[in-house]
């Protein structure tokens, strides 16, 4: 199984500052036929289901503010929030959807400093 | 609009059974691979099972193999999860999730609100 390891487990950032969350996969999640990494990022607010933010590691889902961005380097993936807003307080999860079983990172709790 | 609504959760004793349902609307259910994902209290997300659009292929996480069965009725636009021999560690909110087929293909682009399953004596 592909193991997804997120860091940090929790993060406190001041409003307007940058937040960075990392996710590392234990093996490649790259489809060489289309050069796409099968890596998604989700935002989950308390009492709500996860919401898709980013797919193909770096493509924003419809309606997601452009302060959210994803990047990739081999098996290392990063979610960046360029200027933290109060409504961004949530738990963020990465997911690899290249292989079954699909596997999630353990989640990163983002709070306001 | 696209909607997934889970039902069937509740409190059940260890060793007993429960069947969850997920009613889909607003899209062509029969075109999509569907998944169940769970989240134990205060914990992260865990993928549980998947079923192909025609129902012919099914996959499970090791911890539920032989105890849980995923199925679907495309005529009723409904996904199911039959959970037998339940254990305390199955206590979680269970979400159904749709796998996208065009934009965001293969990622989980729509989730239900979840249904809570509590396994307790």
């Amino acid at each position: 199984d592909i193991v997804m390891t997120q860091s940090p487990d929790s993060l406190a950032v001041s409003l307007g500052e940058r937040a960075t969350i990392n996710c590392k996969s234990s093996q490649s999640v790259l489809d060489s036929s289309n050069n796409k990494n099968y890596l998604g990022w989700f935002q989950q607010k308390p009492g709500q289901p996860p919401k898709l933010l980013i797919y193909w590691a770096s493509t924003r889902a419809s309606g997601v503010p452009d302060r959210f961005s994803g990047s990739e380097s081999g098996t290392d993936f990063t979610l960046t929030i360029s200027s933290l807003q109060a409504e961004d307080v949530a738990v963020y999860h990465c997911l690899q959807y290249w292989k079954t079983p699909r596997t999630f990172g353990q989640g990163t709790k983002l709070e306001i400093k | 609009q696209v909607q997934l609504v889970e039902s069937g959760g509740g409190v059940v004793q260890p060793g007993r059974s429960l069947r969850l349902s997920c009613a889909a609307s607003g899209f062509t259910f029969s075109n999509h691979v569907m998944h169940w994902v769970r989240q134990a209290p205060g914990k992260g997300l865990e993928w549980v099972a998947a079923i192909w659009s025609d129902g012919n292929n099914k996959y499970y996480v090791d911890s539920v193999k032989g105890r849980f069965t995923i199925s679907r009725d495309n005529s009723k636009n409904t996904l199911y999860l039959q959970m037998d021999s339940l254990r305390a560690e199955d206590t979680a909110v269970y979400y159904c999730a749709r796998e996208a087929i065009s934009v965001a293909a293969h990622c989980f682009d729509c989730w239900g609100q979840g249904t809570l399953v509590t396994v307790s004596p």
Side-chain angles (χ1 to χ4, degrees):
Chain A
D1 299 357
I2 299 176
V3 177
M4 307 301 291
T5 304
Q6 280 183 239
S7 62
D9 289 335
S10 63
L11 180 63
V13 174
S14 301
L15 289 172
E17 296 299 306
R18 178 186 301 261
T20 302
I21 299 170
N22 302 297
C23 178
K24 184 176 181 63
S25 59
S26 63
Q27 57 185 270
S28 174
V29 296
L30 177 69
D31 182 351
S32 57
S33 69
N34 59 16
N35 202 36
K36 292 185 183 297
N37 279 296
Y38 283 49
L39 187 285
W41 287 100
F42 296 83
Q43 176 192 65
Q44 186 178 27
K45 297 182 179 180
Q48 296 185 19
K51 171 190 171 184
L52 178 63
L53 293 177
I54 302 282
Y55 58 95
W56 301 137
S58 59
T59 303
R60 267 190 306 276
S62 176
V64 174
D66 61 6
R67 64 179 181 274
F68 290 91
S69 64
S71 62
E72 59 211 282
S73 177
T75 58
D76 292 302
F77 303 92
T78 301
L79 174 69
T80 301
I81 307 171
S82 60
S83 177
L84 189 71
Q85 305 299 303
E87 61 265 32
D88 300 334
V89 169
V91 177
Y92 292 83
H93 308 269
C94 62
L95 162 73
Q96 70 78 19
Y97 50 101
W98 175 232
K99 297 287 188 185
T100 298
R102 309 299 171 90
T103 45
F104 292 89
Q106 76 273 24
T108 295
K109 185 175 184 179
L110 177 59
E111 299 173 311
I112 305 294
K113 184 187 291 184
Chain B
Q1 75 278 23
V2 174
Q3 194 170 14
L4 297 171
V5 179
E6 302 94 338
S7 60
V11 180
V12 61
Q13 294 178 327
R16 303 299 290 267
S17 298
L18 209 58
R19 188 176 85 153
L20 306 183
S21 299
C22 170
S25 59
F27 65 100
T28 305
F29 178 72
S30 60
N31 286 350
H32 289 262
V33 176
M34 296 296 296
H35 300 258
W36 286 100
V37 176
R38 68 184 177 183
Q39 187 169 35
K43 302 297 184 181
L45 300 168
E46 180 182 37
W47 175 84
V48 173
I51 185 168
W52 259 224
S53 55
D54 59 7
N56 285 338
N57 292 292
K58 305 174 184 182
Y59 301 89
Y60 302 91
V61 68
D62 284 348
S63 59
V64 308
K65 282 179 183 175
R67 300 188 300 122
F68 289 12
T69 303
I70 189 171
S71 63
R72 64 192 297 160
D73 186 336
N74 286 342
S75 69
K76 296 182 178 179
N77 293 335
T78 302
L79 175 72
Y80 302 101
L81 186 66
Q82 176 68 38
M83 303 186 295
D84 299 323
S85 303
L86 281 161
R87 305 167 180 168
E89 55 264 35
D90 296 319
T91 294
V93 174
Y94 285 74
Y95 297 101
C96 61
R98 184 183 81 167
E99 182 173 313
I101 56 175
S102 54
V103 177
H106 305 297
C107 199
F108 298 166
D109 67 341
C110 180
W111 298 64
Q113 286 296 315
T115 187
L116 176 61
V117 173
T118 303
V119 184
S120 178

